[in-house]
Each structure stands twice: as C-alpha cells, then as structure tokens.
Amino acid sequence: MNKIFFNFAWLLIASLGFAGCDDDSAGESDEFDSDVVTPDSSSDVETDTPTEDAASGHEDDGGSQQIEDAASADSGTDAGLKSKAAWIEVALNPRSAIYRVGAESRLTATAYTPNGKTILLPLTWHVEPQDFAEISEDNVLTFKEEGQGYVYACNLDVCGFAAFYVDAGLPVLTLYSPERGEILGGNNSRTIQVRGNVKDSGGSPQVYVNDIHAELGADGMFSVDLPAHFGINWIEVKANDGVNSNSVSDYRAVLWAPDYLKPNGNVLTVGNAISLRVDQSLLDSDLIPDPSEQRFSEVAQVITKLLSLVDVSHLLPSGTVIQSDSFRLSIDGVDLKTPDIDLSIVQNGLELFVRLPDVRLYTSGEAQSMSLDGYISASVAAFVTLKMGVQDGEIKIEMGDNDIGIAIESISGQNLEDEAAAALVSSLGTTLRQNLLSTINDMVQSAVGDMLPNLLQASIHSAMQSIASIPFNLDLQSLLRSSSLHVEGNLPSLALQLSMKPQKIDYARHETALVSVNAVMQHASTVTPPYDDPGVPALGSMAVNAVEGDGFGASIRLELLNGLLHELWRGRLLELSVDGLPAISHLALSARLPPLVVPKEDGDSLLELQIGELMLDMTLMQGSAKSALNLRMGLGVVAGTDENGKIKFELSFDGDPEMDLTLLESTGTVTEANVRSVLHTVWTLLSSFLPKMMNFELGSIAIPADQLQTYLPNLKGLALEPDFGDGLFVRDGRIRLEGGLDVSLTVDEAP
C-alpha cells in the first residue's frame, strides 16, 4: 500500500478512536472479558499519566499498562460501575512491523480516566476487516489474511485500537530469459532482454533488474533490456512485495560478444593475434656511438657500429694486388672510418643511405719507379633499397640490381712517399685510378649491399623464430600434487601447440612498419568440449590502429589470450573430480562457459579474468551441495626480458577474487554459508594452473655467432631485447606495449 495513504489512514482512524465510537462499532459481544472485573469504588490511587500517543489510540510498545484479572489487579484504579473511559490503549505482544499468516500475538488493553488514571472496565474486542484475524477467549490474536488490519478494544462508545500488517511471505519470482549460462551476441544485438514474472498474494510487488525498476503488467510480467558488455554479464533480479524490505532474488551469468571465432576440429586460428610496430624514430640517430659502447637503442647506431667492426679483408676481391705492366699496388689494409647512416621506412620496405667520407686504403708498391707506399683516401656514398614482404609465413628481404647505387665522390693519394705517385692516383682516366675505383666499389658493395641485408634478414628470422612455436603442456595430475594441495583423483592433461607466423607488413612512409602475425593453436589429440561450444568471444575487427610511437611497439589481441583459455576449457581442464581438499571430502567442478579476459573499466588492474557458471558439486561435513559460482579477478601485466634475454609476457592476479555464489541444492544441514567458507580452497585449486595458460616465455632474439663470422669475425653475438618499461595499456581490444628495442653486441676485443 502507498505509504502516504497508509499514514493518512492511521491518523484518520486514530482521530476517530480518540473521539470514540458508537455501540455498533464496538462489535456484537455484550459479555465482559473474562479477565475484567468490576472495580472496588474505594480504590482511588493515581498512576502515571500516559503519553500523548496512548491518548490517541497508539500503543507504546515499551511501556503499555495492561488490565489485569481480579486476582492481581492493582488497587490504584478509579472505581465505580458507572465510570466511563476517556481513552483506551491497545497493545500486541509480541509486536512486529509485519506478521506472517498463522502467527499469533497476545492482546492487552488499558483504560484511562480523563485525569489519566487507569480504570478497570468491561471491554469488547473486534477486528476490522473482520476476516483478517481471529480473537480467542484468552485474548490471543491469530492472523488469517494478508493486508493491513486493526484490532479494537471498546467500552461503551469509547474504543482504542492497534494496527497490524500481515504478509504471507515473499513473492514468487520466475525468470524466463536469459537462461543460466546462455550464450548471446553475434547477431548485431547490443542488449540483453530480461523477462520474467512475479506473483504475490497481497501488496504491490516491486521488481528490480540490476537496480533498474521494472514496470509490471497486469499479470505480473516484466521485461527489461540491459546494455550488453563484452564478456560475462552478471544479472541480478530482486522482487519484494512493496511492504516488506526483504526480497527474493534470482541470478544469471550469461556470455555476450559481438562475434565468436569458431575452431576447426582440433585447430583454432586467431588472425592478427600479435602486431609488431617499428617506428621511424627507432631508425633515426643524430649521435655517433662511442667506440667502446656495445648496447644501442637506435638502429642507425647499430649499423654504424657494425661497419666499424667489419673485417675489410673479407670484403676485398680475392686479389688484393692491383698491377699492370707499368705499376704494382698492394692494398695492405682498409679503414672505413665512421660512416654517416640514414635509414628510412618507405612504401615497400627500407631505404638505406650510407656515406663513407674517409675510406682509407693502406698501400704499398710502385708505379713507373715511384713509391706507392702510404694510403689512399676515398669518399664514397651508397644507396640501397631493401624490399621487405611476407612469403609463405616468413619475412623476406629482396634487393634487385637496380636497388643499389654506389658513387665514389673523390679519391686521392694521401701520405704517399712520392708526390708524383699521389698525382698519378688523383688524375682522372689513369689505369691505376680506374682499378682503385673498381676495388672500392666492390668493397662497398659487399659491406652495404651484402653484409647489412644479410644481418637484417638474420635478425628478423631470429625474432620470428622466438614466437614460431610455443608449447603449452599441462599435466594437472603432477602439477597439483607438487603444489600445496594434496588431492586425489583422475585429473586431465593438455597438450597444445601455439604457432605464430607473419601474415603481412603494412608501411606508412617515414612513419611506421607494422607486421601482423597470425596464431594457430592445435591440440595433439582430439578434443570434445564439455558443453555447446560458442567459439572464442571476439570484440570484432582485427584491424590495428597503428599510430606512430617513440620506437618499438607490440600489441596482443585479447582473442589470443581468450583462445588459449578457450582451448583449456575445450580440452576439459575445467572438468575436475578430486578428493581430499581441505574441508571438502569430494569436489566435482564443471565450467559451463569458457573463462575469458576482458578490459577492466575501473581500478588499478588493466584486465579482468571472468569465469561464469562454474558448477560445484561438493561433499562437506554437513552434507552435500550443488552451487553455481561466478568469479571476477583483476589481472596485472608484466612484459620484458629476463636476465637470460628471454622475452616474457606474464599475467598476475591482483588481490582476491570477487565471487558470487548461488546455492542450487543441498542435503543435510548444509547452508550457503558453509559453501562460502570453502570457496578459497576452490580458488586455490583454479589459480594453481590458470595463469600457465596465459603466460608466454619466448626464446631470446639473437643471431648465432657462425652467421657473423664472414664479415664480423670479432663479433661473437648480436641480441635484440624489447624494453617496454611501464608503457602498457589496453585499447581497442588489445594489450598494447610501448617502448624501445635494445641491441647488444658481444665483441671479442682481443687483437
């Protein structure tokens, strides 16, 4: 009933009760109450003055005075058979805001004279509405019907009353949709429809769906459209009868995604699972590296260092002696000095410009009886176009005949013992000069056109090999037995291979090069999902919003992590039956929905692990119970390299999980509180293996020493290590890592 109307009715009846009522309203009983006797007229002892509420017919629950029987009546009352009550106070004991149908309450009444003294008078009792309650001979009120009623005690035309409210119990709530564990989405719908019915024998029931008030039809039907969110959607429906604050509730966990990736037999493919981005800023450098430096963060510095380490003797033609009938010149050594490097991202690969302003060829020999001992200096410029694309899952570097150009800007004899010999070298058109130009051209061709592309190809190959094949082998039997949980039972195992290969490269000239990598997950044996398989929940487009960064970036599509969790679920690793857990003699666990990772909208964590409709069938000391568990857990992300140069991507749990439990069935004395008390054990069981399906340990990105020997015999190792620092965030359904790329060289300094 509307509270305003209820208060108004109370005041109206109170005013009528104070004014009195006629004999008809006093009921049909003309008999004195068996506990009321005619008072002794000589007794005239005052009692405490009643409160204003008592005067108006409202009982004071804590201090109502009662009419006693003749044997125990207090002598402090007004006497006289002809006395008349000024007002009457009625009380119910016990007093409750709401009574259940069939409950009982004892009635007492106290009559007062105009001067506030109590007086013993004969009373008659009745109830309005008449069918709402019954009054026994010993003044016990039994409640019969739902709704608000009043019990009256009357003497002649003066009546007092007490109000009461009767409720048969909580309303009956029925949910028709969504079903428990239902899989939704994939059909352009962005809402979840919640439909149900509520029935109540009295009152005005109220229904709330996730705290949204639902309008009820005449038949108690309701329908609410909730906005759908990617992942597990938790839906709570509450209903009350509009009077009692207690409510009945029902709970649903449903999975929603705009799209789903379907596996093909034992194989699941996630397109564009990882994107690797190289920014132009990583290639640029205005700094000349320190000769002693062996760790670099810019590619141009690396190339400069590598050229300074080149063993030029490997770059010279097989004959290091240039001779003719008129001269003989031996090149005894070469020093490329410090080159100028310019490396740019272009539409189909990279452009490399190398300028060697002071190439020195240390010489000996003679020409026309003139000494050629000393050195010859040359200024050389080279331009190389490296075309890079994906062929058969591998990144290939190609360079055609027209993709390299070498220009010798100047050549002169320096520090030669004979000035005439120096002039001979510097003079255009001489045979000696032409032979020197050819030798320098071949040397630069080997260094810039062969060595650098080969090293770049080897670096890319090593990087791709680090993610080419990652095994996920989980044996829960041995894993759990080696943990703090000593359990018994037949536990499942999983053998899954994750393979990743480049799909394509997209270029933005002078900005970025973006490598898209596909992921393929394959089981070693046939798997059968425990329930209908929805596929991997997908946020939608595979496209990456490539924005130029500050060096190097990587992004991991959430579908890669969710694909691994999906395959764990499809491989039945969440179908467990174990004995011997603390406080749980037996536990059968079954996940109706695959677990998944979603972006976290608030808090410190980047991501959230969700597990919906995890069915628990457990045997406890008090009995057995079947429950549905839904949990959420914050996840932190760590990415980088360890002390051995291995690349790691790890997800860690933040804090304690948020768990919602619905007790479905129970035997013995098991309560929901009993089940909740052992949920930490269930979580310990799950957390012992779930992170292993979301953590990667990749090999180091390194070029083997044997691939460096041809040109760089003193270089014993070249390794690449991404450095992401704190540059982690989640955007557009991807975990994005921003940072740089460190290149470390291991150089043999021995002469």
Side-chain angles (χ1 to χ4, degrees):
M1 177 182 291
N2 184 284
K3 290 185 177 180
I4 297 176
F5 177 79
F6 172 79
N7 292 334
F8 175 77
W10 182 284
L11 294 173
L12 177 62
I13 295 173
S15 63
L16 292 175
F18 182 79
C21 60
D22 57 25
D23 290 341
D24 291 339
S25 67
E28 298 181 1
S29 174
D30 293 328
E31 301 295 331
F32 288 0
D33 186 289
S34 60
D35 290 338
V36 179
V37 297
T38 303
D40 186 344
S41 60
S42 64
S43 178
D44 191 21
V45 180
E46 285 192 6
T47 63
D48 294 337
T49 303
T51 65
E52 181 179 349
D53 282 347
S56 62
H58 293 288
E59 69 279 12
D60 184 343
D61 290 344
S64 298
Q65 300 184 51
Q66 302 178 3
I67 298 177
E68 306 292 347
D69 59 24
S72 62
D74 192 290
S75 60
T77 59
D78 275 354
L81 291 176
K82 295 183 180 180
S83 298
K84 181 178 180 180
W87 72 87
I88 299 171
E89 184 180 89
V90 178
L92 286 76
N93 186 25
R95 186 64 169 129
S96 177
I98 298 176
Y99 296 95
R100 298 297 183 198
V101 172
E104 296 180 344
S105 185
R106 179 170 293 279
L107 297 171
T108 58
T110 304
Y112 294 92
T113 62
N115 61 2
K117 297 179 180 180
T118 60
I119 184 171
L120 298 178
L121 294 173
L123 301 174
T124 58
W125 295 87
H126 74 280
V127 174
E128 292 183 3
Q130 184 176 352
D131 297 335
F132 271 36
E134 290 181 354
I135 303 175
S136 67
E137 293 182 357
D138 56 350
N139 285 359
V140 173
L141 184 66
T142 303
F143 303 101
K144 296 294 186 180
E145 299 288 342
E146 281 190 304
Q148 184 166 333
Y150 305 89
V151 57
Y152 291 88
C154 298
N155 174 253
L156 301 178
D157 59 349
V158 177
C159 294
F161 74 91
F164 58 83
Y165 197 92
V166 182
D167 186 9
L170 296 174
V172 176
L173 175 65
T174 304
L175 280 186
Y176 300 126
S177 69
E179 297 180 2
R180 187 179 298 277
E182 189 171 351
I183 298 163
L184 304 170
N187 57 357
N188 296 322
S189 173
R190 294 284 174 175
T191 60
I192 298 174
Q193 186 183 59
V194 182
R195 294 178 57 254
N197 178 271
V198 62
K199 295 184 181 298
D200 189 61
S201 54
S204 301
Q206 305 286 326
V207 174
Y208 295 89
V209 179
N210 284 4
D211 296 328
I212 299 174
H213 183 260
E215 297 294 334
L216 298 181
D219 55 356
M221 291 293 297
F222 61 87
S223 178
V224 174
D225 287 337
L226 296 177
H229 302 284
F230 176 72
I232 304 295
N233 287 251
W234 279 266
I235 301 170
E236 185 179 28
V237 182
K238 293 182 178 181
N240 61 59
D241 57 15
V243 178
N244 191 345
S245 60
N246 294 327
S247 62
V248 62
S249 61
D250 202 351
Y251 205 80
R252 293 287 188 272
V254 299
L255 175 60
W256 183 92
D259 197 9
Y260 293 90
L261 304 179
K262 298 290 186 180
N264 183 13
N266 287 347
V267 177
L268 173 66
T269 301
V270 179
N272 201 1
I274 294 180
S275 295
L276 304 174
R277 194 195 72 247
V278 174
D279 300 314
Q280 180 64 50
S281 59
L282 183 68
L283 309 182
D284 295 335
S285 177
D286 296 326
L287 300 176
I288 298 175
D290 189 306
S292 63
E293 184 65 42
Q294 296 184 10
R295 190 175 183 90
F296 309 92
S297 59
E298 294 171 334
V299 175
Q301 289 183 327
V302 177
I303 296 175
T304 301
K305 181 68 175 181
L306 290 176
L307 288 175
S308 72
L309 294 173
V310 169
D311 182 355
V312 186
S313 64
H314 288 76
L315 305 181
L316 292 174
S318 57
T320 58
V321 177
I322 305 173
Q323 61 183 354
S324 70
D325 294 338
S326 59
F327 65 86
R328 183 182 184 278
L329 177 67
S330 175
I331 301 177
D332 301 323
V334 178
D335 187 354
L336 299 180
K337 293 299 184 178
T338 303
D340 295 329
I341 303 295
D342 187 6
L343 189 61
S344 300
I345 297 172
V346 292
Q347 197 59 42
N348 58 352
L350 300 175
E351 284 183 351
L352 173 64
F353 179 79
V354 180
R355 187 171 186 275
L356 302 164
D358 187 15
V359 178
R360 295 188 179 186
L361 286 73
Y362 295 93
T363 62
S364 62
E366 62 179 8
Q368 301 174 4
S369 301
M370 295 178 292
S371 174
L372 296 177
D373 296 346
Y375 71 86
I376 297 170
S377 176
S379 174
V380 184
F383 178 84
V384 181
T385 298
L386 302 175
K387 297 176 181 177
M388 299 172 57
V390 177
Q391 298 178 12
D392 300 325
E394 293 186 14
I395 296 177
K396 297 290 188 180
I397 296 177
E398 295 180 347
M399 189 176 66
D401 294 338
N402 297 324
D403 293 329
I404 182 170
I406 300 173
I408 301 176
E409 299 171 332
S410 65
I411 183 171
S412 61
Q414 301 290 334
N415 201 31
L416 295 179
E417 294 181 0
D418 194 311
E419 294 183 1
L424 182 65
V425 171
S426 303
S427 299
L428 298 175
T430 65
T431 303
L432 177 58
R433 178 184 177 89
Q434 294 302 317
N435 278 272
L436 283 172
L437 290 176
S438 177
T439 299
I440 295 172
N441 186 87
D442 292 343
M443 182 180 62
V444 174
Q445 167 76 37
S446 296
V448 178
D450 296 335
M451 183 196 75
L452 291 181
N454 288 339
L455 285 177
L456 182 58
Q457 180 72 75
S459 300
I460 293 173
H461 178 75
S462 178
M464 292 299 101
Q465 281 296 110
S466 69
I467 62 174
S469 182
I470 305 171
F472 288 88
N473 298 318
L474 293 182
D475 182 0
L476 296 193
Q477 196 83 28
S478 59
L479 183 65
L480 293 179
R481 285 178 179 172
S482 63
S483 70
S484 60
L485 295 174
H486 302 288
V487 300
E488 299 177 359
N490 294 320
L491 299 175
S493 60
L494 179 73
L496 183 73
Q497 193 75 18
L498 171 62
S499 302
M500 290 188 276
K501 293 183 178 181
Q503 177 194 16
K504 65 175 181 175
I505 306 176
D506 294 315
Y507 296 96
R509 186 177 179 86
H510 298 306
E511 291 183 358
T512 61
L514 187 68
V515 181
S516 299
V517 180
N518 286 352
V520 176
M521 304 167 208
Q522 185 166 5
H523 292 270
S525 58
T526 303
V527 292
T528 304
Y531 299 93
D532 289 341
D533 184 6
V536 180
L539 276 169
S541 173
M542 295 189 298
V544 180
N545 183 18
V547 179
E548 184 179 5
D550 294 326
F552 178 74
S555 69
I556 301 173
R557 194 178 171 196
L558 286 182
E559 284 78 357
L560 176 59
L561 300 181
N562 288 331
L564 291 169
L565 290 172
H566 175 270
E567 294 309 288
L568 174 146
W569 172 82
R570 200 160 69 110
R572 293 178 174 258
L573 257 70
L574 290 176
E575 303 297 308
L576 303 178
S577 180
V578 297
D579 299 322
L581 289 169
I584 307 175
S585 57
H586 176 75
L587 171 65
L589 181 149
S590 179
R592 294 184 62 176
L593 296 173
L596 76 161
V597 172
V598 303
K600 201 169 188 303
E601 297 180 356
D602 51 21
D604 297 330
S605 303
L606 291 175
L607 301 169
E608 181 177 87
L609 172 67
Q610 299 180 343
I611 304 179
E613 292 298 299
L614 190 62
M615 310 308 293
L616 307 177
D617 191 344
M618 61 179 64
T619 302
L620 307 176
M621 181 177 63
Q622 300 90 348
S624 61
K626 291 184 178 180
S627 309
L629 176 65
N630 301 284
L631 64 85
R632 288 170 278 200
M633 183 70 185
L635 295 174
V637 182
V638 177
T641 55
D642 62 12
E643 63 277 6
N644 298 317
K646 291 186 176 181
I647 301 172
K648 288 192 172 184
F649 176 85
E650 296 180 347
L651 298 181
S652 58
F653 294 130
D654 287 347
D656 297 321
E658 178 183 344
M659 295 188 279
D660 296 310
L661 181 77
T662 302
L663 182 62
L664 304 176
E665 299 177 17
S666 64
T667 64
T669 60
V670 175
T671 64
E672 185 173 304
N674 297 139
V675 178
R676 288 187 180 277
S677 69
V678 298
L679 287 184
H680 66 281
T681 300
V682 177
W683 172 243
T684 301
L685 176 67
L686 293 172
S687 60
S688 66
F689 63 89
L690 277 177
K692 298 184 182 300
M693 287 300 294
M694 298 181 289
N695 294 343
F696 299 30
E697 182 177 289
L698 311 178
S700 57
I701 305 175
I703 302 176
D706 59 354
Q707 296 186 27
L708 305 171
Q709 295 305 301
T710 302
Y711 305 105
L712 303 161
N714 292 336
L715 186 61
K716 302 305 180 183
L718 186 153
L720 288 77
E721 298 179 7
D723 180 14
F724 298 115
D726 297 327
L728 280 80
F729 56 95
V730 178
R731 182 184 298 166
D732 301 328
R734 289 180 173 269
I735 302 171
R736 295 180 177 258
L737 305 100
E738 293 293 333
L741 189 66
D742 291 339
V743 180
S744 59
L745 308 179
T746 304
V747 180
D748 185 358
E749 300 293 349

